[in-house]
Structure formats: C-alpha cells, structure tokens
C-alpha cells in the first residue's frame, strides 16, 4: 500500500444515512477477480440512469464533487454485507479519506486494511464542513501524523485513530508486510518443525 501522511483535497458530500455496501458496489459487479476497476461501478444505481448516462442530481456527479479525494458521508456508512469490494470501489473512484459520524464495523476494518482512512466525527463538525464545501475551491487537509483536519480559513479539528492502524497507514504496511517482517523466524520454525518429523 502507499504510505498515507497528509492529504489536501476537495470534499464530495454524500450526506445520506445507512448507505450499505450493495449501494456502494452493487452485487452484479462482484464477478471481477482484481482489486482495481471497480470505481466506475461505485454507486451505480444512483450515479447513472438506465441508459448509462450520468444522473446530474446524484451528489457525487455534481461539478463540485468531481475529483474529490475526501468523501463526507452520513451515519452508519458501509452497513450491510461485509464485501471488501466496497472500499476497493471507493479507492478506485479516487477517495482516500471518508468522514462520517459512524461506520459499520466490518466496513471500517476493510477500509483500514486497504489503505482508506475512515474518520469518525461529530455530526455538528460534519455540518460545518458541509457548509464550507459550498464555497468554490474549498479544500480540506487531513494530517494523519498530527491526527488533525484543517483548512486555510482557521478551521481545525482533531480526530481519533487506532495507533496500530495509524502506524500501518503512515508506513504503507498491510498485514502481509507484518508477517514477512518475521520471515526468518517463520523459516526457522518450519525447518525445526520438519526436523521433528524426520
């Protein structure tokens, strides 16, 4: 995974409650075996009309949301099934950070395991950010090392992140990397184990 330190980007607002993983990436697109290429199918039923053209009323199709790297969502984001394809689709769509009041537990873990940073914030703070996004060119900076969100207008707020996942994201590690860091010990164990059966 790519290390995550700081990110400055625009915010795409999808302020809907209980957005489930089937809405994030509908089931008919789960036949692929790669982790990439899901972005064009994200929010498919909301994002497109039946003829395949973009629905201009869908929040993330609006001009101000184009190219956003930060997604602002509503309560219980990522509920429903545990499909890991949901964070894959959001990442492939260009998002690096999600801001929401709460998340489904498995979705939250799947995001972290795939390098996507889910941040929980109070609804009042999110309301402030939503208001700020109405200004042209508004950008928000996410500083993982400092655990702060800030902009150029004096807005700043701290956020919590589990120290284990903070380290993993800062250094671009995943759980396979952690295992491989102990490759010599694993090899020693395997050699000794084989020897006991000979």
């Amino acid at each position: 995974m790519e290390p995550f330190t700081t990110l400055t980007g625009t915010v795409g607002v999808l302020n809907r409650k209980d957005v489930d993983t089937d809405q994030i990436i509908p089931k008919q697109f789960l036949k692929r075996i790669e982790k990439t290429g899901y972005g064009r199918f994200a929010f498919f039923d909301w994002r497109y009309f039946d003829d395949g053209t973009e629905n201009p009323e869908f929040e993330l199709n609006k001009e101000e949301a184009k190219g956003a790297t930060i997604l602002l969502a509503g309560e219980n984001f990522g509920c429903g099934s545990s499909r890991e394809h949901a964070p894959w689709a959001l990442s492939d769509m260009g998002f690096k950070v999600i801001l929401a009041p709460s998340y489904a537990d498995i979705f939250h873990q799947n995001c972290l395991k795939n390098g996507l940073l889910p941040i929980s914030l109070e609804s009042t703070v999110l309301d402030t950010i939503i208001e700020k996004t109405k200004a042209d060119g508004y950008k928000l900076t996410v500083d993982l090392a400092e655990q702060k969100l800030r902009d150029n207008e004096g807005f700043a707020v701290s956020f919590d992140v589990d120290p284990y996942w903070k380290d993993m994201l800062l250094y671009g590690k995943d759980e396979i990397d952690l295992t491989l860091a102990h490759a010599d010990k694993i090899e020693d164990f395997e050699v000794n184990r084989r020897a006991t059966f000979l």
Side-chain angles (χ1 to χ4, degrees):
M1 294 194 303
E2 292 291 321
F4 185 113
T5 52
T6 61
L7 169 75
T8 299
T10 56
V11 181
V13 177
L14 184 66
N15 192 21
R16 303 188 189 195
K17 294 181 181 180
D18 303 317
V19 173
D20 66 37
T21 53
D22 193 49
Q23 291 160 328
I24 297 171
I25 182 70
K27 60 186 179 302
Q28 65 266 32
F29 302 114
L30 306 186
K31 298 173 186 176
R32 300 169 53 83
I33 57 171
E34 305 91 349
K35 285 188 176 184
T36 58
Y38 289 97
R40 67 183 184 273
F41 306 121
F43 305 109
F44 191 84
D45 296 332
W46 294 339
R47 196 170 164 192
Y48 304 104
F49 290 126
D50 291 342
D51 64 1
T53 58
E54 282 193 354
N55 174 3
E57 296 304 310
F58 176 55
E59 296 94 319
L60 300 181
N61 284 344
K62 294 184 182 296
E63 194 58 39
E64 59 268 24
K66 296 285 175 88
T69 52
I70 302 167
L71 176 64
L72 190 153
E75 290 177 28
N76 198 30
F77 189 70
C79 57
S81 70
S82 60
R83 65 189 65 168
E84 196 169 5
H85 303 73
W88 295 351
L90 293 171
S91 292
D92 200 58
M93 199 175 174
F95 294 111
K96 307 290 183 191
V97 175
I98 307 172
L99 311 176
S102 59
Y103 303 87
D105 288 342
I106 295 174
F107 173 80
H108 187 269
Q109 289 298 305
N110 282 340
C111 285
L112 292 164
K113 289 178 180 182
N114 286 281
L116 189 58
L117 176 60
I119 296 173
S120 298
L121 294 170
E122 295 289 335
S123 295
T124 52
V125 175
L126 293 169
D127 289 343
T128 298
I129 296 171
I130 290 170
E131 280 302 309
K132 287 175 168 292
T133 62
K134 293 175 182 176
D136 288 343
Y138 179 75
K139 292 192 182 232
L140 189 63
T141 295
V142 182
D143 186 327
L144 179 56
E146 295 292 325
Q147 294 180 216
K148 284 196 174 173
L149 299 178
R150 62 179 180 273
D151 63 19
N152 291 329
E153 302 169 3
F155 170 81
V157 64
S158 298
F159 62 87
D160 293 327
V161 60
D162 182 282
Y164 169 83
W165 288 111
K166 178 179 179 178
D167 182 71
M168 296 281 271
L169 290 167
L170 283 171
Y171 294 99
K173 299 179 195 171
D174 62 21
E175 290 167 322
I176 294 172
D177 293 319
L178 291 185
T179 302
L180 292 176
H182 301 285
D184 54 342
K185 294 178 183 175
I186 293 168
E187 180 61 25
D188 288 344
F189 173 81
E190 290 296 327
V191 168
N192 292 330
R193 185 173 180 272
R194 280 194 298 270
T196 62
F197 290 99
L198 296 177

